[in-house]
Amino acid sequence: MNNDKQAGIDVRGLGKVAVLMGGASAEREVSLMSGGGVLQALHARGVDAHAFDPSQNNLCDLKSHGYDRCFIALHGRHGEDGTVQGALELLGIPYTGPGVMASSIAMDKIMTKRIWRAEGLPTPDWRLVASAAETARAFKELGSPMIVKPSREGSTIGLTKVTSVGQCEQAYRLASRFDPEVLCEQFIDGDETTCPILGQGRQASALPVIRIVAPEGNYDYQNKYFTDVTQYHCPSGLPESEEREIQQLVVDAFRTLDCRGWARADIMIRKSDRKPFLLEINTSPGMTGHSLVPMSAKAVGIDYPDLCLRILAMASLDSRQGNRNDEGASAQ
């Protein structure tokens, strides 16, 4: 195998790579699984890649140890919320995924929904609450069922599906353990789907849609990462027109937040009229054995190692947008 060129990418030109994994968020365990997979894949493609856990190492070591770029496999706080991105900007080390502002906004589900709503993109109705009493009031306004979750967490951590007003206090307390900002969201009854996006700027495009069928509709942390009972359909089995509509919607959502590189958006399709609704966008998606971006990429002939290589090749800095000399090659 020629390790100098893979998928049109100059592997040697990528330099010394740090795979950022672990961290200190509630999603540390998943991040270690993602990072381990990415590291193994990059090694398989001849990349000089090394594991780097920011919770155990000083980020300044990235500069002093001569790293040329970073693959961010961190999830949650201090990984996909703009903080690590900002540190890498100061260090001048290109990194994968969206920049500081896009990462920060996307991590905040409430800010994301405000922007999408302002831009005319469909997202379920919501309320920001600061107490159990406000949660109960939101339940009366939004109806049953209602989703209660932290505004700035991922992997369904702290999430409750509320079906009675008596559950509101416990749901609020659980969500507020992870974030002082708690989001109450109208539940959309219908098909649960997700769709990854790859690329830079106007060249970004959607990969195939995945339709998710979880036991009793409970796509929680355990069923996402540690069981095999959830069914993933890719091809989705949706009508072609619905698949195209979702793909266009997620690309619009990606561009509206000024994302770059890659991301994955979650969408519900309302059963009554087949209208899609954006739930959230993940700017550092999982890359574990159960993860969905690799599954979608595989459906169009992109295997896991080449997917990791393409994402890495798009590593960039906010200050260098428009200058592709440091970005390797496009994913397209």
Side-chain angles (χ1 to χ4, degrees), residues 62-63 80 88 93 109 140 150 159 169 189 193 215 229 251 293 321:
L62 292 168
K63 195 73 172 179
E80 55 182 316
L88 295 174
I93 301 174
K109 298 178 182 66
K140 294 176 181 177
L159 181 147
E169 182 174 358
D189 182 25
T193 66
V229 295
V251 169
V293 177
Q321 286 303 289

Side-chain angles (χ1 to χ4, degrees), residues 19-328:
V19 179
L20 305 188
M21 65 176 83
S25 82
E27 298 179 74
R28 174 179 173 82
E29 184 178 10
V30 177
S31 173
L32 289 170
M33 292 191 293
S34 289
V38 169
L39 186 65
Q40 184 177 0
L42 294 178
H43 285 164
R45 290 295 182 262
V47 177
D48 180 20
H50 307 262
F52 190 99
D53 187 340
S55 71
Q56 300 177 7
N57 301 277
N58 192 314
L59 283 173
C60 292
D61 291 345
L62 292 168
K63 195 73 172 179
S64 60
H65 293 175
Y67 285 99
D68 297 293
R69 64 183 62 210
C70 293
F71 192 116
I72 298 178
L74 299 165
H75 307 313
R77 294 178 186 274
H78 310 306
E80 55 182 316
D81 61 359
T83 53
V84 162
Q85 290 78 6
L88 295 174
E89 290 284 339
L90 291 173
L91 292 170
I93 301 174
Y95 53 90
T96 56
V100 178
M101 183 180 71
S103 297
S104 178
I105 291 173
M107 186 66 189
D108 188 321
K109 298 178 182 66
I110 293 169
M111 287 303 300
T112 296
K113 289 168 75 69
R114 285 171 175 163
I115 291 172
W116 282 342
R117 178 69 63 85
E119 293 294 320
L121 299 179
T123 187
D125 200 6
W126 77 93
R127 300 290 186 274
L128 170 62
V129 299
S131 68
E134 289 184 8
T135 304
R137 187 157 56 248
F139 180 77
K140 294 176 181 177
E141 294 172 354
L142 297 174
S144 177
M146 178 181 77
I147 302 298
V148 180
K149 56 188 175 183
S151 178
R152 291 165 292 202
E153 276 294 351
S155 295
T156 65
I157 291 171
L159 181 147
T160 305
K161 183 178 179 181
V162 173
T163 56
S164 71
V165 71
Q167 296 174 295
C168 289
E169 182 174 358
Q170 184 177 356
Y172 173 78
R173 287 186 177 182
L174 175 62
S176 62
R177 280 173 46 198
F178 297 95
D179 194 325
E181 288 198 349
V182 172
L183 170 66
C184 294
E185 186 175 57
Q186 182 183 52
F187 178 74
I188 303 297
D189 182 25
D191 289 332
E192 185 166 3
T193 66
T194 194
C195 184
I197 310 99
L198 279 181
Q200 308 283 53
R202 304 304 298 178
Q203 300 303 312
S205 61
L207 291 174
V209 174
I210 298 172
R211 183 167 55 89
I212 302 164
V213 182
E216 299 180 358
N218 187 23
Y219 192 46
D220 59 9
Y221 185 84
Q222 188 69 20
N223 285 333
K224 280 185 176 183
Y225 301 112
F226 301 106
T227 72
D228 293 311
V229 295
T230 300
Q231 299 175 30
Y232 302 99
H233 299 276
C234 189
S236 66
L238 298 172
E240 185 177 348
S241 59
E242 283 191 7
E243 174 110 4
R244 287 198 306 268
E245 182 180 8
I246 290 170
Q247 289 177 313
Q248 184 59 57
L249 180 60
V250 300
V251 169
D252 291 343
F254 182 86
R255 291 175 178 165
T256 295
L257 299 185
D258 197 28
C259 293
R260 67 168 186 262
W262 71 316
R264 197 198 76 239
D266 299 331
I267 310 98
M268 292 296 297
I269 305 173
R270 190 163 59 193
K271 184 189 302 183
S272 60
D273 58 5
R274 307 304 295 172
K275 179 178 178 178
F277 290 84
L278 290 159
L279 298 183
E280 60 185 89
I281 190 164
N282 302 279
T283 56
S284 182
M287 290 291 280
T288 72
H290 283 71
S291 291
L292 305 179
V293 177
M295 185 185 303
S296 177
K298 184 178 180 180
V300 289
I302 305 172
D303 66 16
Y304 185 98
D306 280 345
L307 173 64
C308 293
L309 192 62
R310 290 183 187 214
I311 294 168
L312 178 63
M314 290 187 287
S316 184
L317 291 164
D318 284 342
S319 58
R320 297 185 187 176
Q321 286 303 289
N323 180 356
R324 299 302 301 277
N325 293 334
D326 294 316
E327 295 181 25

